[in-house]
Amino acid sequence: MPITLQEQLDQVERDIELYLEFDKAEKARFNRESYLWTAEDRIEWQETQSNNAQRLRELLEERDALRRQLGL
């Protein structure tokens, strides 16, 4: 069953909120724990942050495109 543009937009907006919540939690964890991390831990954290930021940019672009299609 194909989903509507509005349903796609709703899902993308939920995904954006999840990524933003995750980012906030990860930055708080970094502030609490990073002094205990090894250099390898920090590099891994930075790579994860970079990947999440890229995915968030993609979701924001997708949201914008869906909104344009819906005339919002």
Side-chain angles (χ1 to χ4, degrees), residues 3 5-20 55-67:
I3 63 174
L5 288 176
Q6 185 61 51
E7 290 171 329
Q8 288 177 357
L9 178 59
D10 293 344
Q11 181 61 52
V12 167
E13 288 180 339
R14 283 190 297 272
D15 290 348
I16 288 169
E17 285 301 314
L18 289 174
Y19 272 89
L20 291 173
R55 180 62 183 137
L56 184 56
R57 282 189 296 274
E58 292 167 359
L59 287 167
L60 291 170
E61 289 172 5
E62 185 177 348
R63 179 184 70 183
D64 291 344
L66 287 167
R67 284 180 173 176

